[in-house]
Amino acid sequence: ATPPALTSAYKAAAAALKKHNLTNTRAKVYLVLDRSASMRPYYKDGSAQALGEQALALAANLDPEAKVHVTFFSTELDGTGELTLDEHENKIDELHAGLGRMGRTSYHVAVEEIVKHYETSGTKDPALVIFQTDGAPDAKTPATQSLTDAAKNHPAVFFSFVAFGDPENKAFDYLRKLKTDNTAHFLAGETPLELTDQELYEGVLANWRP
């Protein structure tokens, strides 16, 4: 039973999955959240929390367990947590508040954590990773290497990048130029909170074909 607060997002996710012929697909959903210092406004205005709830509503369509493994990263791996249908209200904000200082943007630590979690979970289902960021990785070579390794060793794990910020930002050139088979990106703009659930899911699911 989907909580009332998630009902509209749940229905929007179902509609987007149907549009892309993904109805009845089973998958684990992961959420990666950037905690670089420039992300502060997006935590403050509720954008990060909202994305968490949208990820959970999508998971309720894809995963019988209906839960989302959440990874926070900045310079290092800052922490992990979980969203469930019983426990999601303000959960992203609470987790974030307990993680201390915000740092830089090291994609590879988040990619490696996701791969490790997927390996140890024992699941046979594919994984959809909603990877939110507001900039390029500080270290591009390790970032690309970690994604290349993930594509080779776990081709069923797909990284759908969601970029918060000015779509014209040169920082997003890194995402535009990524050539790995296991990635896609969606430029969510400077006010992601104003996107409809439909728009968000369209962006996240546009290139995912498990």
Side-chain angles (χ1 to χ4, degrees):
T2 314
L6 296 180
T7 302
S8 64
Y10 177 83
K11 288 177 179 172
L17 289 165
K18 184 177 181 183
K19 180 177 174 182
H20 293 292
N21 296 317
L22 295 167
T23 304
N24 300 324
T25 299
R26 279 185 60 158
K28 296 294 176 190
V29 177
Y30 287 82
L31 175 64
V32 174
L33 289 171
D34 187 342
R35 286 188 80 253
S36 56
S38 53
M39 274 293 297
R40 199 167 272 111
Y42 292 116
Y43 283 96
K44 206 169 176 182
D45 75 358
S47 298
Q49 173 66 35
L51 185 62
E53 291 174 7
Q54 287 165 322
L56 181 59
L58 181 59
N61 280 277
L62 292 168
D63 179 5
E65 292 186 314
K67 62 184 182 184
V68 175
H69 180 76
V70 186
T71 298
F72 296 88
F73 79 100
S74 59
T75 310
E76 304 291 339
L77 178 67
D78 290 351
T80 61
E82 193 172 78
L83 297 177
T84 64
L85 295 180
D86 293 332
E87 208 176 326
H88 61 86
E89 284 182 41
N90 302 318
K91 187 70 186 277
I92 295 296
D93 293 335
E94 287 165 15
L95 289 167
H96 164 63
L99 294 177
R101 194 172 161 273
M102 298 172 80
R104 299 182 66 177
T105 318
S106 301
Y107 283 20
H108 63 283
V109 297
V111 174
E112 287 162 9
E113 197 279 329
I114 295 293
V115 169
K116 189 171 152 194
H117 186 277
Y118 183 76
E119 280 176 346
T120 55
S121 71
T123 184
K124 297 283 188 284
D125 293 334
L128 175 63
V129 184
I130 300 171
F131 194 121
Q132 183 279 321
T133 185
D134 75 336
D138 288 334
K140 293 185 175 67
T141 302
T144 305
Q145 190 61 54
S146 66
L147 289 164
T148 303
D149 290 346
K152 187 173 78 177
N153 300 321
H154 297 285
V157 179
F158 188 86
F159 294 84
S160 187
F161 285 89
V162 177
F164 285 10
D166 181 358
E168 301 299 315
N169 190 340
K170 288 276 183 282
F172 298 138
D173 286 353
Y174 175 80
L175 295 177
R176 291 185 188 97
K177 292 172 183 172
L178 257 185
K179 291 290 183 276
T180 46
D181 293 337
N182 60 336
T183 62
H185 71 276
F186 166 53
L187 301 172
E190 293 175 282
T191 51
L193 204 53
E194 293 176 11
L195 291 175
T196 64
D197 293 327
Q198 283 90 340
E199 288 168 330
L200 186 278
Y201 293 131
E202 276 298 317
V204 166
L205 297 172
N207 295 291
W208 181 51
R209 297 296 173 269

